[in-house]
Amino acid sequence: MKKITLFLVLIIAISKLSFGQQKEIASAKPGVKYGKAIVASNAISVAKLEKELAHKNAFNGKIEGKVVEVCKKKGCFITLQRNGEEPIMVRFKDYGFFMPADIIGKTVVVEGVAKKKETSIASLQHAAKDLGKSQVEIDQITQPKNDISIIADGVLVIK
């Protein structure tokens, strides 16, 4: 009986340690940083990023934009608003950090590398599923997409 009790206590202690190590994601308020600590200075707009990438394949720096979507599963990506086009996908380097659900509608500065790339049908469908799109919407994705993708080292909420 003592062995069973000791075993149960050990299991409970291990599970509390494991679950206790899960870090809660801070609410998206102005000044909150995720990932690498960054500052807002010298950030370019999403529109200016599009112009930059019209002449070259990559941009390394800071981009300011409004968040319009966040991965509903665990905050593993956000999208930034564009005028008249699909939002720009922002993923996080090495899945090193995640975003809270309340970041939608906030203006942020992301720092990292933006590239023009082709996104496969499978990746587009996976992202749509993570955004909570219906199966009908997911099934309508039948072509790869040439677009801008950002891998960010850090995100700063500015408003």
Side-chain angles (χ1 to χ4, degrees), residues 28-30 32 34 38-40 43-46 62-68 78-81 90 92 99-100 102-111 154-159:
K29 294 184 171 85
V32 174
Y34 304 93
I38 63 172
V39 295
I44 65 170
S45 67
V46 168
K62 299 176 197 171
I63 303 117
E64 180 179 327
K66 183 177 181 180
V67 178
V68 291
I78 58 174
T79 63
L80 299 180
Q81 185 175 37
V90 180
F92 311 114
M99 296 290 108
D102 69 347
I103 199 157
I104 294 173
K106 306 289 185 187
T107 300
V108 298
V109 170
V110 300
E111 183 172 4
V155 176
L156 169 65
V157 180
I158 56 174
K159 60 181 173 175

Side-chain angles (χ1 to χ4, degrees), residues 36-79:
K36 175 181 141 185
I38 63 172
V39 295
S41 62
N42 301 320
I44 65 170
S45 67
V46 168
K48 182 150 185 176
L49 172 66
E50 291 175 295
K51 288 177 186 170
E52 287 275 329
L53 291 177
H55 306 292
K56 50 187 173 175
N57 289 326
F59 170 81
N60 192 352
K62 299 176 197 171
I63 303 117
E64 180 179 327
K66 183 177 181 180
V67 178
V68 291
E69 298 170 306
V70 64
C71 171
K72 293 186 184 337
K73 282 192 173 186
K74 60 182 177 183
C76 55
F77 66 84
I78 58 174
T79 63

Side-chain angles (χ1 to χ4, degrees), residues 138-158:
I138 293 168
D139 291 342
Q140 290 175 347
I141 300 170
T142 59
Q143 297 292 318
K145 181 172 137 185
N146 289 311
D147 208 355
I148 299 169
S149 177
I150 301 170
I151 302 295
D153 297 324
V155 176
L156 169 65
V157 180
I158 56 174

